[in-house]
Amino acid sequence: MLTMDDIIRDGHPNLRKVADDVQLPPSDEDKKILADMMEFVQNSQNPEIAAKYNLRPGIGLAAPQINVTKKMIAIHVKDDKDKLYSHALFNPKIISHSVEKAYLSSGEGCLSVDENIPGFVPRHARITVKAYDLEGKEIQLRLKGMPAIVFQHEIDHLHGIMFYDHINKQDPYYRPENAIEIIR
């Protein structure tokens, strides 16, 4: 079982590396790593398990955060209509996105970043992602709102990009014109 001890922290060089594609069909080892990542995200949202193992709550995790530089993400998040988006994916790629922007009212956080970094993180309001599931089957997801934000955050990790790289350094609370504010 993964714990916070398995998560590398900001400043570790592997958080800034571009991750490698996962060979398909995925190996048993890669499937196990991805399944463990999903288990961590789900466990971190369970108050009893999180308290027992001292897990910080998370809604997404990318393989580079556990020091595995491969394109794998695990996401377990609900949208504003309480619909669950629970996906463990290999080689996720944004294949289209809106011009319209969105950002979280509370800013973003990250399991690899221990301190709070204030500011708005502009993202695409809507995205389409192509990826492969645990069995290596191709899937396509159309996302908006909170799930779209989370997918962009985790996919950024696969390219060595941290959420705070998107914050306007001169004006951290700059709101992109006509952007959708997602209350969180």
Side-chain angles (χ1 to χ4, degrees):
M1 181 182 133
L2 295 175
T3 67
M4 289 304 296
D5 292 339
D6 296 298
I7 294 178
I8 60 176
R9 297 308 203 278
D10 200 13
H12 191 290
N14 280 349
L15 287 174
R16 290 299 187 173
K17 282 189 179 157
V18 175
D20 297 319
D21 285 341
V22 174
Q23 292 299 308
L24 297 172
S27 67
D28 288 343
E29 179 189 9
D30 286 340
K31 287 182 184 179
K32 166 117 178 60
I33 292 167
L34 187 52
D36 288 349
M37 288 167 53
M38 178 56 86
E39 179 187 52
F40 173 89
V41 176
Q42 292 170 339
N43 284 344
S44 79
Q45 294 180 34
N46 177 314
E48 287 160 26
I49 296 173
K52 181 176 178 181
Y53 295 103
N54 199 24
L55 306 178
R56 270 178 48 202
I59 50 182
L61 185 64
Q65 294 179 269
I66 57 166
N67 210 12
V68 175
T69 53
K70 290 185 174 182
K71 292 182 178 167
M72 299 187 237
I73 61 172
I75 291 173
H76 192 74
V77 65
K78 289 184 176 177
D79 68 10
D80 58 349
K81 293 177 176 59
D82 218 33
K83 179 181 173 189
L84 179 64
Y85 291 79
S86 189
H87 296 281
L89 301 172
F90 296 111
N91 301 334
K93 184 192 282 181
I94 295 170
I95 57 170
S96 69
H97 61 77
S98 63
V99 173
E100 186 178 36
K101 298 288 189 183
Y103 63 93
L104 295 182
S105 60
S106 59
E108 291 184 24
C110 179
L111 292 167
S112 291
V113 178
D114 290 329
E115 72 274 15
N116 180 34
I117 299 179
F120 295 142
V121 181
R123 304 272 188 194
H124 298 292
R126 291 172 305 286
I127 60 171
T128 301
V129 173
K130 186 173 95 172
Y132 298 86
D133 67 14
L134 267 171
E135 303 313 311
K137 188 174 114 252
E138 184 176 288
I139 66 163
Q140 197 164 298
L141 301 165
R142 293 173 58 95
L143 304 158
K144 65 179 186 174
M146 187 66 181
I149 300 270
V150 179
F151 271 81
Q152 289 171 83
H153 178 114
E154 300 311 330
I155 290 170
D156 269 358
H157 274 302
L158 306 180
H159 300 281
I161 300 167
M162 301 295 284
F163 76 91
Y164 54 75
D165 296 341
H166 295 289
I167 297 173
N168 184 318
K169 305 296 176 258
Q170 281 68 49
D171 182 4
Y173 290 100
Y174 170 76
R175 297 169 194 263
E177 205 172 309
N178 300 320
I180 298 168
E181 181 179 39
I182 298 169
I183 308 298
R184 187 70 179 180

